[in-house]
Amino acid sequence: MLTTNPFDDDKLREECGIFGVSGNDSAAALVALGLHALQHRGQEAAGITSFDGRNFHTHRAMGHVAGNFDRDDVIRSLPGPVAAGHVRYATTGDTAIRNVQPLYAELQSGGFAVAHNGNLSNAAKLRRELVRRGAIFQSTSDTEVIIHLVATSSYRTLLDRFIDALKQIEGAYSLIVMTPEGMIACRDPLGIRPLVMGRLDDAVIFASESVAFDVVGAEFERAVEPGELVIVQGDQIRSIKPFAPMSPRPCIFEWVYFSRPDSIVDEQSVYDVRKAIGAELAREAPVDADLVIPVPDSGVPAAIGYAQESGIPFELGIIRSHYVGRTFIQPGDKVRHLGVKLKHNANRALIQGKRVILVDDSIVRGTTSLKIVQMMREAGAAEVHMRIASPPTRHSCFYGVDTPERAKLLAAKLDLGGMTDFIHADSLAFVSIDGLYKALGEMGRADVRPKYCDACFTGDYPTTLTDQDEVEQVDQFAMLAERVERVN
């Protein structure tokens, strides 16, 4: 199976989305609806676990929410007033049903289910230590490390065991946990990954994005704060903060690409921020042209902002078909080349003879931008200028985003001129890191204490990277050994 979408194979991909309900007799049905709204955060697999007061029930499946959780028999198999769900795009662990979340285990204290958005940057080290102590892992997911840490903790209460586990992990996480005692929602001390809390009548709801509340008719209440645990037991809700206070560093890419534009992230409209990024880009990198064209769909808000600020008309120069499936069997290179036009096609009558500005959210490997520029050339564009609503992506992410290794990132290999030549554009420009911060209402990026995690642009990682550091040490040792061998 190969994607027919030429703009989907070269994007940074969020790992997953999570959604939980406590206190509604139709909890599983609500979770299924919420996961539909979060489908963009993970399209490989989906799962829901419910609790009926005595037993846990789980249904997990590969593929989209639709087709797996829109059947009455599936929802009826998930009874109870408490449920949590997960949509997955793997960044750690292989694509297999054993890695589909929520993960579930029977502990001494009873059932324990966990749905995780993020990535633990010391999971490999912890896993080795747990295996040495006798732990038997059923998946290759980093999330299972949390279950084993809870199971082996020496603390007495389940909550204390869970906190003990959290204090041993590093990296990024938003978690929804289900136990016989209730539901726990928490966010890592830096708040790298998002998590919000809402209400539907007497029910408490948690989600990766506020847009999921709109789908089920819930009211947004607030964001779960960095380092906060929200514990729901029946109609009782309490909040604890067991970690030392830290300056939050939420992922800046939530505003650039990951979140849906109709979401509110940390009290800011994603749509408004993306328009502001486009306006900032127009001020920083103007160009004389006839049309501003978004790369669908993620480039649309920034392109609107660019057009409004520059005074150049906004037009839909790339038309997307909404009636093509995500995948298509393609028997050869020629058919595959034709297949990409099934989903996106240039609006030739509009583009012919025009100087166009293409606005996209990011450049990763550069292969997508090359295809888009080529599409515009073939449609008769006189000039093709590319404007990117984020700074150059020069570094890999280790916090739950599927990023190519650094050697495959175009901006890590080439300077601006080299990148422009690679994608065959007449010009190329990125919004500056200060411009990105300004669009978010900041004066710029503070060198001493930036407000966001922007490591993919700057290389400034806000946590230690234990597993990655070990990999780099092994690689350095191997390179040294190879040099010595060549000398000898």
Side-chain angles (χ1 to χ4, degrees):
M1 291 292 200
L2 296 169
T3 180
T4 62
N5 183 354
F7 312 139
D8 279 352
D9 62 356
D10 190 26
K11 294 288 187 184
L12 298 183
R13 300 181 191 268
E14 239 282 2
E15 181 181 7
C16 56
I18 56 178
F19 191 91
V21 175
S22 178
N24 188 291
D25 289 337
S26 300
L30 292 174
V31 170
L33 289 171
L35 293 181
H36 271 287
L38 300 174
Q39 187 73 85
H40 60 287
R41 299 185 76 91
Q43 299 182 37
E44 286 186 351
I48 297 177
T49 297
S50 70
F51 180 62
D52 62 12
R54 296 183 60 186
N55 299 306
F56 286 84
H57 310 269
T58 296
H59 184 83
R60 301 183 296 166
M62 305 305 297
H64 290 188
V65 178
N68 285 313
F69 291 95
D70 53 2
R71 302 189 343 244
D72 289 341
D73 60 321
V74 171
I75 298 301
R76 283 197 301 270
S77 73
L78 298 166
V82 182
H86 185 276
V87 288
R88 182 173 193 261
Y89 183 88
T91 60
T92 62
D94 54 9
T95 301
I97 195 69
R98 62 178 175 161
N99 289 326
V100 180
Q101 299 183 33
L103 296 184
Y104 176 80
E106 288 283 350
L107 306 184
Q108 184 180 9
S109 55
F112 186 94
V114 57
H116 172 206
N117 174 21
N119 191 62
L120 309 183
S121 55
N122 65 337
K125 180 180 180 182
L126 290 171
R127 187 185 182 105
R128 288 196 302 272
E129 293 171 354
L130 287 161
V131 169
R132 276 198 295 266
R133 288 156 50 188
I136 301 173
F137 280 77
Q138 300 298 313
S139 76
T140 57
S141 169
D142 62 331
T143 308
E144 192 178 353
V145 168
I146 298 170
I147 296 176
H148 286 280
L149 290 174
V150 173
T152 57
S153 173
S154 60
Y155 283 83
R156 186 176 63 85
T157 70
L158 178 60
L159 180 59
D160 286 339
R161 293 159 77 95
F162 181 55
I163 293 171
D164 180 39
L166 295 181
K167 288 185 176 180
Q168 297 178 64
I169 62 179
E170 66 183 36
Y173 57 85
S174 286
L175 302 171
I176 297 176
V177 171
M178 295 168 57
T179 77
E181 298 176 17
M183 177 175 282
I184 305 171
C186 66
R187 200 171 169 198
D188 66 76
L190 290 171
I192 298 173
R193 300 262 69 84
L195 191 64
V196 291
M197 176 178 171
R199 293 276 194 162
L200 178 62
D201 300 324
D202 294 330
V204 180
I205 302 182
F206 300 99
S208 293
E209 290 183 41
S210 65
V211 69
F213 296 154
D214 300 337
V215 172
V216 300
E219 182 179 347
F220 172 82
E221 191 164 288
R222 66 179 180 88
V224 175
E225 296 180 17
E228 179 185 21
L229 278 70
V230 180
I231 302 143
V232 184
Q233 295 173 302
D235 59 358
Q236 301 296 311
I237 302 173
R238 61 191 177 107
S239 168
I240 59 174
K241 295 182 178 178
F243 305 102
M246 303 178 72
S247 297
R249 294 282 297 276
C251 173
I252 203 166
F253 225 86
E254 290 290 342
W255 288 273
V256 173
Y257 174 68
F258 294 146
S259 293
R260 268 180 44 166
D262 44 346
S263 278
I264 305 294
V265 177
D266 287 346
E267 301 183 355
Q268 295 200 75
S269 161
V270 174
Y271 180 78
D272 288 345
V273 169
R274 288 179 187 167
K275 281 181 62 179
I277 296 172
E280 187 65 32
L281 185 56
R283 289 189 287 269
E284 291 184 356
V287 61
D288 191 16
D290 303 306
L291 302 174
V292 175
I293 295 174
V295 176
D297 286 323
S298 56
V300 171
I304 293 172
Y306 192 104
Q308 290 177 347
E309 180 66 25
S310 66
I312 300 171
F314 170 94
E315 296 286 356
L316 296 180
I318 302 172
I319 305 302
R320 176 185 174 186
S321 169
H322 294 270
Y323 304 100
V324 179
R326 184 169 178 262
T327 56
F328 180 69
I329 299 173
Q330 299 161 328
D333 289 341
K334 184 176 181 180
V335 176
R336 179 166 57 249
H337 177 71
L338 296 174
V340 298
K341 296 185 178 181
L342 285 173
K343 198 157 190 176
H344 292 85
N345 194 40
N347 190 347
R348 185 176 297 270
L350 178 73
I351 294 166
Q352 182 73 41
K354 298 294 196 307
R355 300 166 299 169
V356 302
I357 303 170
L358 293 166
V359 179
D360 203 357
D361 59 87
S362 60
I363 289 182
V364 182
R365 295 179 181 87
T367 53
T368 292
S369 300
L370 177 61
K371 292 175 186 177
I372 301 167
V373 172
Q374 181 182 1
M375 182 185 291
M376 295 295 102
R377 300 281 192 206
E378 291 174 353
E383 296 177 11
V384 183
H385 304 274
M386 199 87 182
R387 295 295 180 267
I388 305 299
S390 64
T393 303
R394 294 194 172 98
H395 305 272
S396 298
C397 176
F398 303 102
Y399 300 125
V401 178
D402 183 39
T403 317
E405 59 189 61
R406 193 167 183 228
K408 295 181 180 178
L409 295 171
L410 190 69
K413 299 185 294 183
L414 301 173
D415 60 14
L416 184 62
M419 287 190 283
T420 306
D421 292 340
F422 179 86
I423 67 172
H424 298 166
D426 290 288
S427 74
L428 169 67
F430 298 79
V431 74
S432 68
I433 189 69
D434 277 345
L436 182 56
Y437 271 73
K438 287 175 184 176
L440 281 156
E442 304 295 317
M443 295 297 292
R445 186 186 192 275
D447 293 330
V448 177
R449 187 174 293 173
K451 188 175 178 180
Y452 300 97
C453 177
D454 52 23
C456 54
F457 307 132
T458 65
D460 177 15
Y461 296 98
T463 75
T464 51
L465 302 172
T466 299
D467 293 343
Q468 182 62 23
D469 290 343
E470 289 182 355
V471 169
E472 290 178 356
Q473 288 174 7
V474 170
D475 289 346
Q476 289 172 2
F477 180 80
M479 289 172 61
L480 180 61
E482 185 180 347
R483 272 197 217 103
V484 170
E485 186 176 345
R486 282 203 305 267
V487 170
N488 293 335

